PDB file of all heavy atoms in Angstrom:
ATOM      1  N   THR A1008     -14.951  -3.536  -8.592  1.00 93.00           N
ATOM      2  CA  THR A1008     -14.172  -2.369  -8.190  1.00 93.00           C
ATOM      3  C   THR A1008     -13.208  -2.775  -7.073  1.00 93.00           C
ATOM      4  O   THR A1008     -13.357  -3.830  -6.465  1.00 93.00           O
ATOM      5  CB  THR A1008     -15.066  -1.217  -7.679  1.00 93.00           C
ATOM      6  OG1 THR A1008     -15.751  -1.640  -6.499  1.00 93.00           O
ATOM      7  CG2 THR A1008     -16.065  -0.787  -8.739  1.00 93.00           C
ATOM      8  N   ASN A1009     -12.249  -1.894  -6.805  1.00 94.00           N
ATOM      9  CA  ASN A1009     -11.274  -2.121  -5.728  1.00 94.00           C
ATOM     10  C   ASN A1009     -10.705  -3.538  -5.782  1.00 94.00           C
ATOM     11  O   ASN A1009     -10.644  -4.235  -4.777  1.00 94.00           O
ATOM     12  CB  ASN A1009     -11.898  -1.851  -4.356  1.00 94.00           C
ATOM     13  CG  ASN A1009     -12.181  -0.386  -4.133  1.00 94.00           C
ATOM     14  OD1 ASN A1009     -12.176   0.408  -5.068  1.00 94.00           O
ATOM     15  ND2 ASN A1009     -12.460  -0.014  -2.911  1.00 94.00           N
ATOM     16  N   ILE A1010     -10.279  -3.930  -6.966  1.00 96.00           N
ATOM     17  CA  ILE A1010      -9.738  -5.277  -7.169  1.00 96.00           C
ATOM     18  C   ILE A1010      -8.361  -5.360  -6.511  1.00 96.00           C
ATOM     19  O   ILE A1010      -7.432  -4.673  -6.898  1.00 96.00           O
ATOM     20  CB  ILE A1010      -9.645  -5.607  -8.673  1.00 96.00           C
ATOM     21  CG1 ILE A1010     -11.041  -5.610  -9.294  1.00 96.00           C
ATOM     22  CG2 ILE A1010      -8.936  -6.940  -8.882  1.00 96.00           C
ATOM     23  CD1 ILE A1010     -11.044  -5.752 -10.812  1.00 96.00           C
ATOM     24  N   ARG A1011      -8.258  -6.227  -5.512  1.00 96.00           N
ATOM     25  CA  ARG A1011      -6.997  -6.352  -4.778  1.00 96.00           C
ATOM     26  C   ARG A1011      -6.072  -7.396  -5.377  1.00 96.00           C
ATOM     27  O   ARG A1011      -4.862  -7.293  -5.243  1.00 96.00           O
ATOM     28  CB  ARG A1011      -7.283  -6.674  -3.318  1.00 96.00           C
ATOM     29  CG  ARG A1011      -7.982  -5.509  -2.614  1.00 96.00           C
ATOM     30  CD  ARG A1011      -8.279  -5.842  -1.210  1.00 96.00           C
ATOM     31  NE  ARG A1011      -7.582  -4.887  -0.354  1.00 96.00           N
ATOM     32  CZ  ARG A1011      -7.708  -4.852   0.948  1.00 96.00           C
ATOM     33  NH1 ARG A1011      -8.451  -5.737   1.566  1.00 96.00           N
ATOM     34  NH2 ARG A1011      -7.065  -3.949   1.642  1.00 96.00           N
ATOM     35  N   ASN A1012      -6.617  -8.409  -6.004  1.00 94.00           N
ATOM     36  CA  ASN A1012      -5.798  -9.465  -6.615  1.00 94.00           C
ATOM     37  C   ASN A1012      -6.342  -9.754  -8.011  1.00 94.00           C
ATOM     38  O   ASN A1012      -7.087 -10.694  -8.203  1.00 94.00           O
ATOM     39  CB  ASN A1012      -5.785 -10.730  -5.751  1.00 94.00           C
ATOM     40  CG  ASN A1012      -7.157 -11.366  -5.620  1.00 94.00           C
ATOM     41  OD1 ASN A1012      -8.180 -10.688  -5.634  1.00 94.00           O
ATOM     42  ND2 ASN A1012      -7.195 -12.669  -5.501  1.00 94.00           N
ATOM     43  N   ALA A1013      -5.961  -8.958  -8.970  1.00 94.00           N
ATOM     44  CA  ALA A1013      -6.486  -9.100 -10.332  1.00 94.00           C
ATOM     45  C   ALA A1013      -6.082 -10.453 -10.924  1.00 94.00           C
ATOM     46  O   ALA A1013      -4.903 -10.805 -10.932  1.00 94.00           O
ATOM     47  CB  ALA A1013      -5.979  -7.967 -11.217  1.00 94.00           C
ATOM     48  N   PRO A1014      -7.054 -11.217 -11.425  1.00 95.00           N
ATOM     49  CA  PRO A1014      -6.738 -12.498 -12.063  1.00 95.00           C
ATOM     50  C   PRO A1014      -5.889 -12.282 -13.319  1.00 95.00           C
ATOM     51  O   PRO A1014      -6.005 -11.251 -13.989  1.00 95.00           O
ATOM     52  CB  PRO A1014      -8.110 -13.065 -12.434  1.00 95.00           C
ATOM     53  CG  PRO A1014      -9.096 -12.314 -11.589  1.00 95.00           C
ATOM     54  CD  PRO A1014      -8.487 -10.967 -11.358  1.00 95.00           C
ATOM     55  N   HIS A1015      -5.084 -13.268 -13.639  1.00 96.00           N
ATOM     56  CA  HIS A1015      -4.163 -13.173 -14.778  1.00 96.00           C
ATOM     57  C   HIS A1015      -4.866 -12.782 -16.085  1.00 96.00           C
ATOM     58  O   HIS A1015      -4.369 -11.892 -16.791  1.00 96.00           O
ATOM     59  CB  HIS A1015      -3.390 -14.490 -14.933  1.00 96.00           C
ATOM     60  CG  HIS A1015      -2.311 -14.426 -15.952  1.00 96.00           C
ATOM     61  ND1 HIS A1015      -1.168 -13.662 -15.790  1.00 96.00           N
ATOM     62  CD2 HIS A1015      -2.206 -15.001 -17.165  1.00 96.00           C
ATOM     63  CE1 HIS A1015      -0.412 -13.783 -16.852  1.00 96.00           C
ATOM     64  NE2 HIS A1015      -1.014 -14.590 -17.714  1.00 96.00           N
ATOM     65  N   PRO A1016      -6.030 -13.377 -16.437  1.00 96.00           N
ATOM     66  CA  PRO A1016      -6.691 -12.957 -17.688  1.00 96.00           C
ATOM     67  C   PRO A1016      -7.069 -11.476 -17.684  1.00 96.00           C
ATOM     68  O   PRO A1016      -7.056 -10.818 -18.726  1.00 96.00           O
ATOM     69  CB  PRO A1016      -7.936 -13.841 -17.760  1.00 96.00           C
ATOM     70  CG  PRO A1016      -7.614 -15.029 -16.921  1.00 96.00           C
ATOM     71  CD  PRO A1016      -6.724 -14.512 -15.823  1.00 96.00           C
ATOM     72  N   PHE A1017      -7.378 -10.924 -16.515  1.00 97.00           N
ATOM     73  CA  PHE A1017      -7.703  -9.496 -16.424  1.00 97.00           C
ATOM     74  C   PHE A1017      -6.451  -8.644 -16.640  1.00 97.00           C
ATOM     75  O   PHE A1017      -6.504  -7.607 -17.289  1.00 97.00           O
ATOM     76  CB  PHE A1017      -8.324  -9.160 -15.071  1.00 97.00           C
ATOM     77  CG  PHE A1017      -9.739  -9.638 -14.884  1.00 97.00           C
ATOM     78  CD1 PHE A1017     -10.298 -10.637 -15.662  1.00 97.00           C
ATOM     79  CD2 PHE A1017     -10.527  -9.072 -13.898  1.00 97.00           C
ATOM     80  CE1 PHE A1017     -11.595 -11.066 -15.479  1.00 97.00           C
ATOM     81  CE2 PHE A1017     -11.835  -9.480 -13.708  1.00 97.00           C
ATOM     82  CZ  PHE A1017     -12.369 -10.490 -14.486  1.00 97.00           C
ATOM     83  N   LEU A1018      -5.334  -9.081 -16.074  1.00 96.00           N
ATOM     84  CA  LEU A1018      -4.084  -8.335 -16.241  1.00 96.00           C
ATOM     85  C   LEU A1018      -3.640  -8.334 -17.703  1.00 96.00           C
ATOM     86  O   LEU A1018      -3.155  -7.318 -18.208  1.00 96.00           O
ATOM     87  CB  LEU A1018      -2.994  -8.904 -15.340  1.00 96.00           C
ATOM     88  CG  LEU A1018      -3.233  -8.721 -13.840  1.00 96.00           C
ATOM     89  CD1 LEU A1018      -2.146  -9.433 -13.037  1.00 96.00           C
ATOM     90  CD2 LEU A1018      -3.311  -7.254 -13.470  1.00 96.00           C
ATOM     91  N   ILE A1019      -3.826  -9.456 -18.383  1.00 96.00           N
ATOM     92  CA  ILE A1019      -3.494  -9.516 -19.812  1.00 96.00           C
ATOM     93  C   ILE A1019      -4.387  -8.540 -20.586  1.00 96.00           C
ATOM     94  O   ILE A1019      -3.902  -7.769 -21.419  1.00 96.00           O
ATOM     95  CB  ILE A1019      -3.662 -10.952 -20.346  1.00 96.00           C
ATOM     96  CG1 ILE A1019      -2.580 -11.851 -19.755  1.00 96.00           C
ATOM     97  CG2 ILE A1019      -3.616 -10.977 -21.879  1.00 96.00           C
ATOM     98  CD1 ILE A1019      -2.795 -13.331 -20.020  1.00 96.00           C
ATOM     99  N   ALA A1020      -5.682  -8.561 -20.300  1.00 96.00           N
ATOM    100  CA  ALA A1020      -6.614  -7.661 -20.981  1.00 96.00           C
ATOM    101  C   ALA A1020      -6.269  -6.203 -20.689  1.00 96.00           C
ATOM    102  O   ALA A1020      -6.326  -5.348 -21.582  1.00 96.00           O
ATOM    103  CB  ALA A1020      -8.044  -7.958 -20.563  1.00 96.00           C
ATOM    104  N   ALA A1021      -5.901  -5.899 -19.454  1.00 96.00           N
ATOM    105  CA  ALA A1021      -5.534  -4.530 -19.078  1.00 96.00           C
ATOM    106  C   ALA A1021      -4.307  -4.074 -19.851  1.00 96.00           C
ATOM    107  O   ALA A1021      -4.268  -2.953 -20.374  1.00 96.00           O
ATOM    108  CB  ALA A1021      -5.286  -4.441 -17.574  1.00 96.00           C
ATOM    109  N   THR A1022      -3.305  -4.920 -19.948  1.00 95.00           N
ATOM    110  CA  THR A1022      -2.082  -4.589 -20.679  1.00 95.00           C
ATOM    111  C   THR A1022      -2.393  -4.328 -22.152  1.00 95.00           C
ATOM    112  O   THR A1022      -1.925  -3.342 -22.730  1.00 95.00           O
ATOM    113  CB  THR A1022      -1.045  -5.727 -20.549  1.00 95.00           C
ATOM    114  OG1 THR A1022      -0.725  -5.885 -19.162  1.00 95.00           O
ATOM    115  CG2 THR A1022       0.217  -5.421 -21.335  1.00 95.00           C
ATOM    116  N   ARG A1023      -3.203  -5.174 -22.749  1.00 94.00           N
ATOM    117  CA  ARG A1023      -3.554  -5.024 -24.165  1.00 94.00           C
ATOM    118  C   ARG A1023      -4.397  -3.783 -24.430  1.00 94.00           C
ATOM    119  O   ARG A1023      -4.401  -3.259 -25.534  1.00 94.00           O
ATOM    120  CB  ARG A1023      -4.290  -6.257 -24.655  1.00 94.00           C
ATOM    121  CG  ARG A1023      -3.392  -7.466 -24.762  1.00 94.00           C
ATOM    122  CD  ARG A1023      -4.144  -8.665 -25.255  1.00 94.00           C
ATOM    123  NE  ARG A1023      -3.249  -9.818 -25.353  1.00 94.00           N
ATOM    124  CZ  ARG A1023      -3.669 -11.050 -25.488  1.00 94.00           C
ATOM    125  NH1 ARG A1023      -4.962 -11.316 -25.558  1.00 94.00           N
ATOM    126  NH2 ARG A1023      -2.796 -12.035 -25.564  1.00 94.00           N
ATOM    127  N   SER A1024      -5.116  -3.315 -23.420  1.00 93.00           N
ATOM    128  CA  SER A1024      -6.002  -2.155 -23.597  1.00 93.00           C
ATOM    129  C   SER A1024      -5.231  -0.854 -23.782  1.00 93.00           C
ATOM    130  O   SER A1024      -5.766   0.110 -24.317  1.00 93.00           O
ATOM    131  CB  SER A1024      -6.934  -2.004 -22.390  1.00 93.00           C
ATOM    132  OG  SER A1024      -6.230  -1.476 -21.272  1.00 93.00           O
ATOM    133  N   GLY A1025      -4.005  -0.811 -23.282  1.00 91.00           N
ATOM    134  CA  GLY A1025      -3.225   0.415 -23.340  1.00 91.00           C
ATOM    135  C   GLY A1025      -3.447   1.328 -22.151  1.00 91.00           C
ATOM    136  O   GLY A1025      -2.801   2.364 -22.023  1.00 91.00           O
ATOM    137  N   ALA A1026      -4.348   0.950 -21.264  1.00 94.00           N
ATOM    138  CA  ALA A1026      -4.593   1.765 -20.068  1.00 94.00           C
ATOM    139  C   ALA A1026      -3.442   1.593 -19.079  1.00 94.00           C
ATOM    140  O   ALA A1026      -2.789   0.550 -19.035  1.00 94.00           O
ATOM    141  CB  ALA A1026      -5.908   1.357 -19.403  1.00 94.00           C
ATOM    142  N   ASN A1027      -3.199   2.616 -18.293  1.00 96.00           N
ATOM    143  CA  ASN A1027      -2.201   2.562 -17.228  1.00 96.00           C
ATOM    144  C   ASN A1027      -2.931   2.059 -15.991  1.00 96.00           C
ATOM    145  O   ASN A1027      -3.568   2.829 -15.277  1.00 96.00           O
ATOM    146  CB  ASN A1027      -1.607   3.958 -17.019  1.00 96.00           C
ATOM    147  CG  ASN A1027      -0.437   3.944 -16.071  1.00 96.00           C
ATOM    148  OD1 ASN A1027      -0.100   2.919 -15.473  1.00 96.00           O
ATOM    149  ND2 ASN A1027       0.183   5.098 -15.905  1.00 96.00           N
ATOM    150  N   TYR A1028      -2.872   0.757 -15.753  1.00 97.00           N
ATOM    151  CA  TYR A1028      -3.658   0.084 -14.719  1.00 97.00           C
ATOM    152  C   TYR A1028      -2.720  -0.748 -13.866  1.00 97.00           C
ATOM    153  O   TYR A1028      -2.116  -1.704 -14.351  1.00 97.00           O
ATOM    154  CB  TYR A1028      -4.698  -0.803 -15.408  1.00 97.00           C
ATOM    155  CG  TYR A1028      -5.701  -1.473 -14.507  1.00 97.00           C
ATOM    156  CD1 TYR A1028      -6.761  -0.754 -13.977  1.00 97.00           C
ATOM    157  CD2 TYR A1028      -5.608  -2.823 -14.211  1.00 97.00           C
ATOM    158  CE1 TYR A1028      -7.705  -1.376 -13.173  1.00 97.00           C
ATOM    159  CE2 TYR A1028      -6.542  -3.457 -13.407  1.00 97.00           C
ATOM    160  CZ  TYR A1028      -7.587  -2.720 -12.891  1.00 97.00           C
ATOM    161  OH  TYR A1028      -8.529  -3.336 -12.090  1.00 97.00           O
ATOM    162  N   GLU A1029      -2.559  -0.363 -12.604  1.00 95.00           N
ATOM    163  CA  GLU A1029      -1.661  -1.108 -11.725  1.00 95.00           C
ATOM    164  C   GLU A1029      -2.092  -0.955 -10.280  1.00 95.00           C
ATOM    165  O   GLU A1029      -2.922  -0.111  -9.943  1.00 95.00           O
ATOM    166  CB  GLU A1029      -0.212  -0.660 -11.900  1.00 95.00           C
ATOM    167  CG  GLU A1029       0.059   0.770 -11.527  1.00 95.00           C
ATOM    168  CD  GLU A1029       1.499   1.179 -11.789  1.00 95.00           C
ATOM    169  OE1 GLU A1029       1.982   0.975 -12.915  1.00 95.00           O
ATOM    170  OE2 GLU A1029       2.126   1.709 -10.864  1.00 95.00           O
ATOM    171  N   SER A1030      -1.531  -1.790  -9.437  1.00 96.00           N
ATOM    172  CA  SER A1030      -1.865  -1.775  -8.021  1.00 96.00           C
ATOM    173  C   SER A1030      -1.168  -0.611  -7.336  1.00 96.00           C
ATOM    174  O   SER A1030       0.049  -0.453  -7.446  1.00 96.00           O
ATOM    175  CB  SER A1030      -1.442  -3.102  -7.375  1.00 96.00           C
ATOM    176  OG  SER A1030      -1.888  -3.158  -6.054  1.00 96.00           O
ATOM    177  N   ARG A1031      -1.966   0.209  -6.662  1.00 94.00           N
ATOM    178  CA  ARG A1031      -1.454   1.370  -5.929  1.00 94.00           C
ATOM    179  C   ARG A1031      -2.239   1.505  -4.625  1.00 94.00           C
ATOM    180  O   ARG A1031      -3.369   1.038  -4.518  1.00 94.00           O
ATOM    181  CB  ARG A1031      -1.645   2.666  -6.738  1.00 94.00           C
ATOM    182  CG  ARG A1031      -0.933   2.747  -8.067  1.00 94.00           C
ATOM    183  CD  ARG A1031       0.416   3.445  -8.025  1.00 94.00           C
ATOM    184  NE  ARG A1031       0.418   4.752  -7.452  1.00 94.00           N
ATOM    185  CZ  ARG A1031       0.448   5.900  -8.119  1.00 94.00           C
ATOM    186  NH1 ARG A1031       0.429   5.907  -9.436  1.00 94.00           N
ATOM    187  NH2 ARG A1031       0.493   7.048  -7.493  1.00 94.00           N
ATOM    188  N   PHE A1032      -1.657   2.204  -3.675  1.00 93.00           N
ATOM    189  CA  PHE A1032      -2.352   2.460  -2.413  1.00 93.00           C
ATOM    190  C   PHE A1032      -3.321   3.622  -2.587  1.00 93.00           C
ATOM    191  O   PHE A1032      -2.992   4.647  -3.179  1.00 93.00           O
ATOM    192  CB  PHE A1032      -1.361   2.784  -1.293  1.00 93.00           C
ATOM    193  CG  PHE A1032      -2.041   2.964   0.031  1.00 93.00           C
ATOM    194  CD1 PHE A1032      -2.411   1.858   0.788  1.00 93.00           C
ATOM    195  CD2 PHE A1032      -2.358   4.229   0.496  1.00 93.00           C
ATOM    196  CE1 PHE A1032      -3.063   2.015   2.008  1.00 93.00           C
ATOM    197  CE2 PHE A1032      -3.013   4.398   1.716  1.00 93.00           C
ATOM    198  CZ  PHE A1032      -3.363   3.285   2.470  1.00 93.00           C
ATOM    199  N   SER A1033      -4.525   3.451  -2.073  1.00 89.00           N
ATOM    200  CA  SER A1033      -5.539   4.499  -2.112  1.00 89.00           C
ATOM    201  C   SER A1033      -5.777   5.030  -0.705  1.00 89.00           C
ATOM    202  O   SER A1033      -6.153   4.269   0.197  1.00 89.00           O
ATOM    203  CB  SER A1033      -6.852   3.941  -2.669  1.00 89.00           C
ATOM    204  OG  SER A1033      -7.914   4.826  -2.417  1.00 89.00           O
ATOM    205  N   LYS A1034      -5.565   6.319  -0.520  1.00 86.00           N
ATOM    206  CA  LYS A1034      -5.861   6.936   0.771  1.00 86.00           C
ATOM    207  C   LYS A1034      -7.360   6.871   1.058  1.00 86.00           C
ATOM    208  O   LYS A1034      -7.773   6.657   2.189  1.00 86.00           O
ATOM    209  CB  LYS A1034      -5.393   8.388   0.790  1.00 86.00           C
ATOM    210  CG  LYS A1034      -3.898   8.553   0.753  1.00 86.00           C
ATOM    211  CD  LYS A1034      -3.517  10.021   0.719  1.00 86.00           C
ATOM    212  CE  LYS A1034      -2.040  10.201   0.458  1.00 86.00           C
ATOM    213  NZ  LYS A1034      -1.688  11.605   0.280  1.00 86.00           N
ATOM    214  N   THR A1035      -8.175   7.067   0.021  1.00 83.00           N
ATOM    215  CA  THR A1035      -9.630   7.045   0.185  1.00 83.00           C
ATOM    216  C   THR A1035     -10.111   5.668   0.636  1.00 83.00           C
ATOM    217  O   THR A1035     -10.894   5.557   1.575  1.00 83.00           O
ATOM    218  CB  THR A1035     -10.334   7.430  -1.137  1.00 83.00           C
ATOM    219  OG1 THR A1035      -9.869   8.718  -1.531  1.00 83.00           O
ATOM    220  CG2 THR A1035     -11.838   7.459  -0.979  1.00 83.00           C
ATOM    221  N   ALA A1036      -9.641   4.604  -0.043  1.00 83.00           N
ATOM    222  CA  ALA A1036     -10.073   3.244   0.287  1.00 83.00           C
ATOM    223  C   ALA A1036      -9.352   2.698   1.522  1.00 83.00           C
ATOM    224  O   ALA A1036      -9.855   1.811   2.200  1.00 83.00           O
ATOM    225  CB  ALA A1036      -9.843   2.314  -0.893  1.00 83.00           C
ATOM    226  N   GLY A1037      -8.151   3.208   1.778  1.00 88.00           N
ATOM    227  CA  GLY A1037      -7.377   2.732   2.924  1.00 88.00           C
ATOM    228  C   GLY A1037      -6.643   1.430   2.666  1.00 88.00           C
ATOM    229  O   GLY A1037      -6.212   0.769   3.610  1.00 88.00           O
ATOM    230  N   HIS A1038      -6.512   1.033   1.413  1.00 91.00           N
ATOM    231  CA  HIS A1038      -5.772  -0.175   1.059  1.00 91.00           C
ATOM    232  C   HIS A1038      -5.298  -0.073  -0.391  1.00 91.00           C
ATOM    233  O   HIS A1038      -5.679   0.824  -1.124  1.00 91.00           O
ATOM    234  CB  HIS A1038      -6.622  -1.436   1.262  1.00 91.00           C
ATOM    235  CG  HIS A1038      -7.842  -1.489   0.412  1.00 91.00           C
ATOM    236  ND1 HIS A1038      -9.072  -1.080   0.863  1.00 91.00           N
ATOM    237  CD2 HIS A1038      -8.030  -1.883  -0.868  1.00 91.00           C
ATOM    238  CE1 HIS A1038      -9.967  -1.224  -0.105  1.00 91.00           C
ATOM    239  NE2 HIS A1038      -9.355  -1.704  -1.163  1.00 91.00           N
ATOM    240  N   GLU A1039      -4.478  -1.036  -0.773  1.00 95.00           N
ATOM    241  CA  GLU A1039      -3.955  -1.101  -2.129  1.00 95.00           C
ATOM    242  C   GLU A1039      -4.938  -1.860  -3.006  1.00 95.00           C
ATOM    243  O   GLU A1039      -5.527  -2.859  -2.584  1.00 95.00           O
ATOM    244  CB  GLU A1039      -2.606  -1.820  -2.107  1.00 95.00           C
ATOM    245  CG  GLU A1039      -1.831  -1.703  -3.383  1.00 95.00           C
ATOM    246  CD  GLU A1039      -0.401  -2.197  -3.231  1.00 95.00           C
ATOM    247  OE1 GLU A1039       0.299  -1.723  -2.313  1.00 95.00           O
ATOM    248  OE2 GLU A1039      -0.007  -3.047  -4.045  1.00 95.00           O
ATOM    249  N   TYR A1040      -5.137  -1.375  -4.227  1.00 96.00           N
ATOM    250  CA  TYR A1040      -5.939  -2.096  -5.211  1.00 96.00           C
ATOM    251  C   TYR A1040      -5.529  -1.660  -6.607  1.00 96.00           C
ATOM    252  O   TYR A1040      -4.825  -0.680  -6.775  1.00 96.00           O
ATOM    253  CB  TYR A1040      -7.442  -1.902  -4.973  1.00 96.00           C
ATOM    254  CG  TYR A1040      -7.991  -0.522  -5.266  1.00 96.00           C
ATOM    255  CD1 TYR A1040      -8.471  -0.201  -6.543  1.00 96.00           C
ATOM    256  CD2 TYR A1040      -8.062   0.452  -4.283  1.00 96.00           C
ATOM    257  CE1 TYR A1040      -8.995   1.057  -6.819  1.00 96.00           C
ATOM    258  CE2 TYR A1040      -8.586   1.705  -4.552  1.00 96.00           C
ATOM    259  CZ  TYR A1040      -9.048   2.004  -5.820  1.00 96.00           C
ATOM    260  OH  TYR A1040      -9.564   3.246  -6.096  1.00 96.00           O
ATOM    261  N   PHE A1041      -5.962  -2.419  -7.611  1.00 97.00           N
ATOM    262  CA  PHE A1041      -5.652  -2.077  -8.993  1.00 97.00           C
ATOM    263  C   PHE A1041      -6.513  -0.904  -9.410  1.00 97.00           C
ATOM    264  O   PHE A1041      -7.737  -0.936  -9.260  1.00 97.00           O
ATOM    265  CB  PHE A1041      -5.891  -3.276  -9.924  1.00 97.00           C
ATOM    266  CG  PHE A1041      -4.778  -4.274  -9.858  1.00 97.00           C
ATOM    267  CD1 PHE A1041      -4.767  -5.263  -8.889  1.00 97.00           C
ATOM    268  CD2 PHE A1041      -3.724  -4.212 -10.755  1.00 97.00           C
ATOM    269  CE1 PHE A1041      -3.739  -6.177  -8.819  1.00 97.00           C
ATOM    270  CE2 PHE A1041      -2.684  -5.121 -10.695  1.00 97.00           C
ATOM    271  CZ  PHE A1041      -2.695  -6.109  -9.726  1.00 97.00           C
ATOM    272  N   MET A1042      -5.845   0.141  -9.930  1.00 96.00           N
ATOM    273  CA  MET A1042      -6.573   1.344 -10.324  1.00 96.00           C
ATOM    274  C   MET A1042      -5.987   1.940 -11.589  1.00 96.00           C
ATOM    275  O   MET A1042      -4.863   1.630 -11.975  1.00 96.00           O
ATOM    276  CB  MET A1042      -6.576   2.368  -9.194  1.00 96.00           C
ATOM    277  CG  MET A1042      -5.210   2.890  -8.806  1.00 96.00           C
ATOM    278  SD  MET A1042      -5.257   4.094  -7.461  1.00 96.00           S
ATOM    279  CE  MET A1042      -5.544   3.044  -6.049  1.00 96.00           C
ATOM    280  N   ASN A1043      -6.777   2.788 -12.201  1.00 97.00           N
ATOM    281  CA  ASN A1043      -6.353   3.503 -13.400  1.00 97.00           C
ATOM    282  C   ASN A1043      -5.526   4.714 -12.999  1.00 97.00           C
ATOM    283  O   ASN A1043      -5.717   5.288 -11.925  1.00 97.00           O
ATOM    284  CB  ASN A1043      -7.586   3.967 -14.174  1.00 97.00           C
ATOM    285  CG  ASN A1043      -8.342   2.813 -14.787  1.00 97.00           C
ATOM    286  OD1 ASN A1043      -7.975   2.315 -15.837  1.00 97.00           O
ATOM    287  ND2 ASN A1043      -9.404   2.373 -14.114  1.00 97.00           N
ATOM    288  N   GLN A1044      -4.612   5.094 -13.916  1.00 96.00           N
ATOM    289  CA  GLN A1044      -3.786   6.263 -13.688  1.00 96.00           C
ATOM    290  C   GLN A1044      -3.646   7.047 -14.982  1.00 96.00           C
ATOM    291  O   GLN A1044      -3.682   6.484 -16.062  1.00 96.00           O
ATOM    292  CB  GLN A1044      -2.398   5.834 -13.216  1.00 96.00           C
ATOM    293  CG  GLN A1044      -2.438   5.093 -11.901  1.00 96.00           C
ATOM    294  CD  GLN A1044      -1.116   4.450 -11.627  1.00 96.00           C
ATOM    295  OE1 GLN A1044      -0.182   5.130 -11.227  1.00 96.00           O
ATOM    296  NE2 GLN A1044      -1.021   3.156 -11.839  1.00 96.00           N
ATOM    297  N   CYS A1045      -3.464   8.322 -14.850  1.00 96.00           N
ATOM    298  CA  CYS A1045      -3.201   9.193 -15.983  1.00 96.00           C
ATOM    299  C   CYS A1045      -1.701   9.132 -16.288  1.00 96.00           C
ATOM    300  O   CYS A1045      -0.899   8.763 -15.425  1.00 96.00           O
ATOM    301  CB  CYS A1045      -3.608  10.622 -15.630  1.00 96.00           C
ATOM    302  SG  CYS A1045      -3.238  11.834 -16.926  1.00 96.00           S
ATOM    303  N   GLY A1046      -1.323   9.540 -17.486  1.00 94.00           N
ATOM    304  CA  GLY A1046       0.088   9.604 -17.857  1.00 94.00           C
ATOM    305  C   GLY A1046       0.889  10.542 -16.971  1.00 94.00           C
ATOM    306  O   GLY A1046       2.103  10.401 -16.838  1.00 94.00           O
ATOM    307  N   CYS A1047       0.221  11.516 -16.333  1.00 96.00           N
ATOM    308  CA  CYS A1047       0.911  12.456 -15.445  1.00 96.00           C
ATOM    309  C   CYS A1047       1.203  11.844 -14.075  1.00 96.00           C
ATOM    310  O   CYS A1047       1.863  12.458 -13.249  1.00 96.00           O
ATOM    311  CB  CYS A1047       0.105  13.745 -15.292  1.00 96.00           C
ATOM    312  SG  CYS A1047      -1.341  13.618 -14.214  1.00 96.00           S
ATOM    313  N   GLY A1048       0.668  10.632 -13.837  1.00 93.00           N
ATOM    314  CA  GLY A1048       0.892   9.957 -12.563  1.00 93.00           C
ATOM    315  C   GLY A1048      -0.264  10.053 -11.585  1.00 93.00           C
ATOM    316  O   GLY A1048      -0.266   9.365 -10.566  1.00 93.00           O
ATOM    317  N   ALA A1049      -1.249  10.889 -11.875  1.00 95.00           N
ATOM    318  CA  ALA A1049      -2.407  11.016 -10.982  1.00 95.00           C
ATOM    319  C   ALA A1049      -3.241   9.740 -11.038  1.00 95.00           C
ATOM    320  O   ALA A1049      -3.449   9.168 -12.106  1.00 95.00           O
ATOM    321  CB  ALA A1049      -3.265  12.207 -11.393  1.00 95.00           C
ATOM    322  N   VAL A1050      -3.707   9.308  -9.871  1.00 94.00           N
ATOM    323  CA  VAL A1050      -4.570   8.129  -9.838  1.00 94.00           C
ATOM    324  C   VAL A1050      -6.016   8.550 -10.117  1.00 94.00           C
ATOM    325  O   VAL A1050      -6.464   9.621  -9.703  1.00 94.00           O
ATOM    326  CB  VAL A1050      -4.471   7.374  -8.497  1.00 94.00           C
ATOM    327  CG1 VAL A1050      -3.081   6.806  -8.304  1.00 94.00           C
ATOM    328  CG2 VAL A1050      -4.870   8.231  -7.332  1.00 94.00           C
ATOM    329  N   LEU A1051      -6.693   7.711 -10.865  1.00 94.00           N
ATOM    330  CA  LEU A1051      -8.112   7.905 -11.154  1.00 94.00           C
ATOM    331  C   LEU A1051      -8.826   6.763 -10.453  1.00 94.00           C
ATOM    332  O   LEU A1051      -9.049   5.696 -11.016  1.00 94.00           O
ATOM    333  CB  LEU A1051      -8.344   7.897 -12.670  1.00 94.00           C
ATOM    334  CG  LEU A1051      -7.528   8.930 -13.448  1.00 94.00           C
ATOM    335  CD1 LEU A1051      -7.630   8.702 -14.948  1.00 94.00           C
ATOM    336  CD2 LEU A1051      -7.963  10.341 -13.093  1.00 94.00           C
ATOM    337  N   GLY A1052      -9.148   6.973  -9.189  1.00 92.00           N
ATOM    338  CA  GLY A1052      -9.667   5.917  -8.326  1.00 92.00           C
ATOM    339  C   GLY A1052     -11.037   5.418  -8.716  1.00 92.00           C
ATOM    340  O   GLY A1052     -11.816   6.089  -9.394  1.00 92.00           O
ATOM    341  N   ASP A1053     -11.331   4.209  -8.258  1.00 92.00           N
ATOM    342  CA  ASP A1053     -12.602   3.571  -8.600  1.00 92.00           C
ATOM    343  C   ASP A1053     -13.812   4.330  -8.085  1.00 92.00           C
ATOM    344  O   ASP A1053     -14.836   4.387  -8.765  1.00 92.00           O
ATOM    345  CB  ASP A1053     -12.629   2.138  -8.082  1.00 92.00           C
ATOM    346  CG  ASP A1053     -11.829   1.189  -8.954  1.00 92.00           C
ATOM    347  OD1 ASP A1053     -11.224   1.645  -9.950  1.00 92.00           O
ATOM    348  OD2 ASP A1053     -11.811  -0.017  -8.656  1.00 92.00           O
TER     349      ASP A1053
END
């Protein structure tokens, strides 16, 4: 969870999955990490 530097094989798998997964700032965590997002733009935090 709270992956701050996603390894390249993970990023490839994320892209192929079709999920909206990218690095964003989390107010809850207090730092940026790779997280899921809805098509509406809402973050679905870890």
